[in-house]
């Protein structure tokens, strides 16, 4: 059984699966599979933790019940990437809150060099209060400016499985959403993958 030091207690996932990055803006050549090193806590502020989805799946499947990636979600975003990682078609989840807008802003800054040729789809609920509509429009404009093609749709999705199904059906390659779905995502991975990828095109960006 692997022993974790107190500096790793935020993660249930073994540190050998975690590669940290400190770049505030990823380079044009960024490929998550080429990220160097495993996570060693040194008090730094990391910009991204990358984890290969296949390895995370193998780790999940050795347990009798779903395990969370993080015991305590931290502010550093997580990228769960498939081997053929792509930003060709981005799916953004905006739920009408300020924290959701910040997640997307953080992603647009971090990935700005990689997504200029990307297609983007934004899913937003129809019940957003009027006080947040200006923020919603500003967010659409930011995504449109950062990508080559943007579409905006209203769906009252409440579960990660809803976003997942849409992403698979429409050939999305990266879902950008909140870490509050992390436990639910772990449950879906545990119950539906069972060692075989449901969709080998879709990666996940999770943040707070």
């Amino acid at each position: 059984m692997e022993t974790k030091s107190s500096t790793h207690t935020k993660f249930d996932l073994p540190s050998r699966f975690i590669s940290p990055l400190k770049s505030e803006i990823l380079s044009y050549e960024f490929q998550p599979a080429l990220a160097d090193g495993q996570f060693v806590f040194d008090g730094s502020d990391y910009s991204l933790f990358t984890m290969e989805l296949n390895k995370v799946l193998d780790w999940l499947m050795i347990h009798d019940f779903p395990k969370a990636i993080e015991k305590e979600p931290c502010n550093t975003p997580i990228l769960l990437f498939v081997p053929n990682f792509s930003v060709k078609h981005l799916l953004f989840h905006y739920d009408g809150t300020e924290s959701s807008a910040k997640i997307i802003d953080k992603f647009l800054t971090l990935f700005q060099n990689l997504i200029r040729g990307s297609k983007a789809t934004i899913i937003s609920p129809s019940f957003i209060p009027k006080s947040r509509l200006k923020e919603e429009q500003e967010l659409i404009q930011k995504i449109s400016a950062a990508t080559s093609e943007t579409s905006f749709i209203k769906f009252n999705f409440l579960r990660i499985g809803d976003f997942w199904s849409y992403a698979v059906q429409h050939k999305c390659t990266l879902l950008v959403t909140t870490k509050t779905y992390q436990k639910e995502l772990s449950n879906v991975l545990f119950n539906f993958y069972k060692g075989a990828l449901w969709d080998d095109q879709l990666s996940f960006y999770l943040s707070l």
Side-chain angles (χ1 to χ4, degrees):
M1 181 177 179
E2 182 170 345
T3 302
K4 301 175 188 175
S5 69
S6 60
T7 56
H8 292 157
T9 54
K10 285 188 176 181
F11 289 95
D12 264 342
L13 188 74
S15 60
R16 66 180 181 275
F17 295 146
I18 305 167
S19 292
L21 293 170
K22 295 182 180 180
S23 303
E24 294 184 5
I25 299 175
L26 299 177
S27 70
Y28 296 94
E29 297 83 16
F30 171 75
Q31 282 294 331
L34 301 179
D36 293 328
Q38 66 178 28
F39 175 49
V40 178
F41 183 84
D42 61 5
S44 298
D45 290 326
Y46 295 110
S47 60
L48 184 67
F49 291 126
T50 67
M51 307 170 192
E52 187 176 336
L53 183 55
N54 286 9
K55 293 180 180 179
V56 173
L57 289 173
D58 289 341
W59 173 77
L60 280 172
M61 293 308 140
I62 66 174
H63 296 91
D64 295 328
F65 55 89
K67 298 275 286 184
I69 294 172
E70 291 176 291
K71 291 180 180 179
E72 304 171 31
C74 64
N75 289 325
T76 303
I78 288 173
L79 178 66
L80 286 169
F81 65 92
V82 293
N84 51 340
F85 173 74
S86 170
V87 293
K88 183 178 180 181
H89 189 176
L90 309 171
L91 180 60
F92 291 97
H93 168 209
Y94 173 66
D95 65 8
T97 64
E98 183 179 358
S99 60
S100 182
K102 286 182 178 179
I103 288 170
I104 294 174
D105 276 336
K106 187 185 295 186
F107 174 87
L108 294 176
T109 298
L110 186 61
F111 280 80
Q112 61 183 269
N113 289 329
L114 299 167
I115 62 174
R116 293 174 184 172
S118 300
K119 176 180 178 180
T121 300
I122 309 161
I123 292 182
S124 174
S126 60
F127 48 77
I128 286 180
K130 290 183 179 180
S131 61
R132 311 302 302 181
L133 290 179
K134 181 181 179 182
E135 178 185 75
E136 182 182 69
Q137 288 302 313
E138 290 175 348
L139 201 60
I140 294 170
Q141 292 173 4
K142 288 179 183 178
I143 294 173
S144 297
T147 59
S148 65
E149 178 184 345
T150 303
S151 58
F152 175 72
I153 54 179
K154 290 281 188 178
F155 283 131
N156 294 330
F157 289 165
L158 297 174
R159 299 176 302 173
I160 190 70
D162 297 327
F163 292 97
W164 198 340
S165 296
Y166 181 93
V168 172
Q169 291 172 15
H170 293 82
K171 301 184 186 309
C172 300
T173 59
L174 181 59
L175 171 59
V176 178
T177 189
T178 171
K179 277 190 180 184
T180 58
Y181 277 139
Q182 189 178 152
K183 184 176 180 181
E184 185 182 347
L185 176 60
S186 181
N187 288 337
V188 172
L189 290 170
F190 184 85
N191 291 314
F192 290 98
Y193 274 87
K194 295 297 183 184
L197 280 176
W198 178 1
D199 177 62
D200 63 358
Q201 305 298 313
L202 184 61
S203 299
F204 302 86
Y205 174 93
L206 310 171
S207 188
L208 290 177

